[in-house]
Amino acid sequence: GAAAKAAAASSSAAASNREGTPRCRATSGAVSSSRARAATAASVPMSDPAEALDELLETCILAAERRDGAAIDALLGRHPEHRDELRRRLDRLEALGILTAPSAAARVPERLGEFRLLRQIGRGGMGVVYLAEQPSLRRTVALKLLHPEQVYFAGARERFRREVLAIARLAHPGIVPILTGGETEGIPFFAMEHVHGASLAEVLDALVGTAPDALDGATLRASLARAMAKKNDATPLQDAAAFRGAWVHVVSGLMRQACEALAHAHEQGVLHRDVKPSNLLLTTDGAVRVIDFGLATAAGNRRITRSGATLGSMPYMAPEQVRGDVGRIDRRTDVYQLGVTLYELLTTTLPHGDGTGDTRARILAGAVEPPSRRNPHVHPDAEAICLKAMDVDRARRYPDAAALGADLRAFLEQRDVVARRAAWWVRGQRLLRRHPLRAAAALVAVGLFVVAPSVVALQQHLANRRIRDAL
């Protein structure tokens, strides 16, 4: 506690951070075993240098917790104006031992208030989740605690409080409810219903090495079982409809459930703003439950993090989030993230990369390789739905999660869908934005090998006609 106070005094308040990390999978044939887990809590420049420095510092803290020195070096390289001060603060935190990642074998505290902690079942930059018993009500819960070192960061406390308030106003079977909350021993906490299952991110991890031809409902069930076993959850899986059928239909059914849950949130004025596989739980009966509203914003509380800064996992962020265009973040932002998640489930790959390299530029350009090129079994209608949800032009996306869910339902029921593939000239414009040099070279080639010969041929034809007329 003293160390954390000293760190807080030396590094000031840090704001929003991330839970969960994206994956990078191969695009040819089988899922790659390379696990490029580059977490990308991306911060947008702000007008207040002190607040910008705080945001950058927390991003560095998250990278240090993952032992990702390359991400820290890259961040410092992108912000040379803050490099020296960030290095000084990071050195201070390192000296205090706060940047040291906790050991997986670390002893779990026996109790927190009235809860008896059993084992850790989740961890992120802001909080840690324990499986816990609440003896007074004879029930098992998932207890989420704010990291002790985050207790002294006002931004972290605010986001923790906002998550509680956002979920408290929601009542839908597809959203994991909060049962109780409070603060004990100086640490904020809230207890959620304990859901037996695994996140879709954990299920995708269990699919590593599976070829697209082998993907189906039975594969999903087996992957869920492996993911649960890895977490020491031996709850038997049910023979649910979600575990039967072709992969594209199974995945579309899962995403339809997520859309219905988020549609309820939208109706209550709540935006999630961080939809991704690690925030969607798949239960033993094939149901999808939405979790982690830590970055949510609700009607009547439009302030998003601080001074317009917006954080998120880069591979799943909408273009308006990447640009930091706070005024344009709305229901269609959640729709975009649902589209990216659908793409990843259909193909087991991320559409724009894992957050490193040119991911940001690819998101802004909006040129996406069609899912069917990565998985030939993707149905054209499912592909059209996915690409419409991910359209870089917000006006072309579905207006909200309900509309996306309705189109997925139409596809599953073999009815006509609203989504249509973008016109050829729209795709051409996006290709030009994404590859301007290649496009310029192609135009030059067309001029040399098509236009120029045609002009010469036309001139020759006119000259021949003049000669004939003269004769």
Side-chain angles (χ1 to χ4, degrees):
K5 289 180 181 179
S10 66
S11 61
S12 137
S16 302
N17 49 27
R18 301 290 320 112
E19 289 191 31
T21 53
R23 297 154 311 285
C24 176
R25 299 180 176 81
T27 62
S28 57
V31 183
S32 170
S33 61
S34 62
R35 315 309 301 154
R37 289 192 167 276
T40 51
S43 91
V44 177
M46 296 176 291
S47 58
D48 188 333
E51 292 187 348
L53 187 62
D54 287 343
E55 299 290 352
L56 293 172
L57 176 63
E58 187 168 7
T59 302
C60 288
I61 291 173
L62 294 175
E65 190 175 68
R66 299 188 307 273
R67 301 179 182 177
D68 191 352
I72 296 177
D73 292 339
L75 183 67
L76 296 179
R78 290 195 300 270
H79 299 277
E81 71 279 10
H82 297 304
R83 184 188 297 114
D84 293 341
E85 180 62 18
L86 282 171
R87 279 293 183 194
R88 187 187 69 78
R89 295 191 183 192
L90 287 171
D91 290 344
R92 172 64 172 164
L93 295 176
E94 179 69 31
L96 292 170
I98 289 179
L99 293 186
T100 303
S103 169
R107 185 178 64 85
V108 176
E110 291 186 1
R111 300 192 67 86
L112 182 75
E114 67 169 316
F115 297 96
R116 188 167 70 88
L117 307 186
L118 303 178
R119 68 175 185 272
Q120 182 176 313
I121 57 176
R123 181 181 179 86
M126 184 183 71
V128 59
V129 182
Y130 290 99
L131 180 64
E133 287 184 350
Q134 188 177 12
S136 60
L137 296 178
R138 298 181 180 180
R139 65 184 178 186
T140 302
V141 299
L143 192 68
K144 185 170 183 177
L145 318 177
L146 189 64
H147 278 315
E149 64 267 27
Q150 295 283 345
V151 168
Y152 303 99
F153 292 165
R157 276 181 171 271
E158 170 60 23
R159 192 166 84 257
F160 201 83
R161 185 186 69 86
R162 187 169 59 218
E163 180 173 6
V164 174
L165 294 178
I167 302 178
R169 66 194 296 176
L170 305 177
H172 189 276
I175 297 174
V176 178
I178 286 180
L179 304 176
T180 185
E183 183 172 316
T184 184
E185 301 177 20
I187 299 177
F189 73 89
F190 61 82
M192 300 174 289
E193 174 190 339
H194 177 226
V195 178
H196 291 284
S199 73
L200 290 180
E202 293 167 327
V203 172
L204 284 168
D205 285 341
L207 283 172
V208 170
T210 306
D213 288 344
L215 296 173
D216 57 15
T219 308
L220 176 71
R221 191 176 191 275
S223 299
L224 174 60
R226 288 196 297 272
M228 292 175 59
K230 191 174 181 180
K231 300 194 302 181
N232 299 317
D233 189 343
T235 306
L237 273 62
Q238 300 181 25
D239 184 21
F243 302 134
R244 297 192 296 269
W247 184 252
V248 63
H249 293 94
V250 168
V251 165
S252 298
L254 298 180
M255 291 308 300
R256 179 187 61 78
Q257 295 184 56
C259 288
E260 291 177 351
L262 287 172
H264 170 75
H266 289 172
E267 290 171 358
Q268 302 303 314
V270 175
L271 303 178
H272 192 287
R273 302 193 302 137
D274 193 25
V275 182
K276 58 183 180 179
S278 61
N279 287 338
L280 299 176
L281 297 181
L282 178 59
T283 67
T284 55
D285 60 354
V288 172
R289 311 284 295 276
V290 181
I291 61 171
D292 198 348
F293 282 76
L295 292 184
T297 184
N301 181 18
R302 303 301 300 172
R303 191 180 183 193
I304 299 176
T305 64
R306 298 181 313 170
S307 301
T310 179
L311 301 179
S313 292
M314 178 67 75
Y316 304 94
M317 290 172 68
E320 56 269 23
Q321 289 179 299
V322 173
R323 290 191 299 265
D325 192 354
V326 175
R328 297 173 71 83
I329 293 177
D330 57 14
R331 297 180 178 187
R332 287 168 290 189
T333 304
D334 282 354
V335 166
Y336 183 94
Q337 295 178 338
L338 285 165
V340 175
T341 301
L342 174 59
Y343 189 106
E344 186 176 10
L345 291 173
L346 288 171
T347 67
T348 69
T349 64
L350 287 162
H352 300 299
D354 64 354
T356 60
D358 63 346
T359 295
R360 184 178 190 277
R362 289 165 61 90
I363 293 174
L364 294 177
V368 182
E369 185 177 18
S372 58
R373 292 186 186 175
R374 302 188 181 188
N375 181 355
H377 300 288
V378 174
H379 191 280
D381 282 353
E383 178 173 282
I385 291 172
C386 179
L387 295 179
K388 180 177 176 64
M390 289 177 57
D391 203 303
V392 67
D393 184 351
R394 298 168 66 256
R396 294 178 181 272
R397 294 179 210 157
Y398 294 98
D400 51 33
L404 172 55
D407 229 12
L408 286 170
R409 180 182 290 276
F411 166 66
L412 292 170
E413 296 176 353
Q414 300 183 5
R415 295 184 283 109
D416 290 340
V417 300
V418 173
R420 292 290 182 269
R421 193 179 183 191
W424 65 268
W425 62 85
V426 175
R427 300 197 302 273
Q429 289 175 351
R430 294 173 183 172
L431 185 61
L432 287 175
R433 289 198 299 267
R434 182 177 177 184
H435 301 296
L437 294 180
R438 293 182 187 178
L443 290 175
V444 171
V446 170
L448 289 175
F449 298 106
V450 178
V451 178
S454 299
V455 171
V456 172
L458 178 60
Q459 291 176 338
Q460 185 65 42
H461 172 73
L462 295 176
N464 290 338
R465 189 169 66 179
R466 287 195 297 271
I467 292 173
R468 286 196 301 270
D469 291 345
L471 291 173

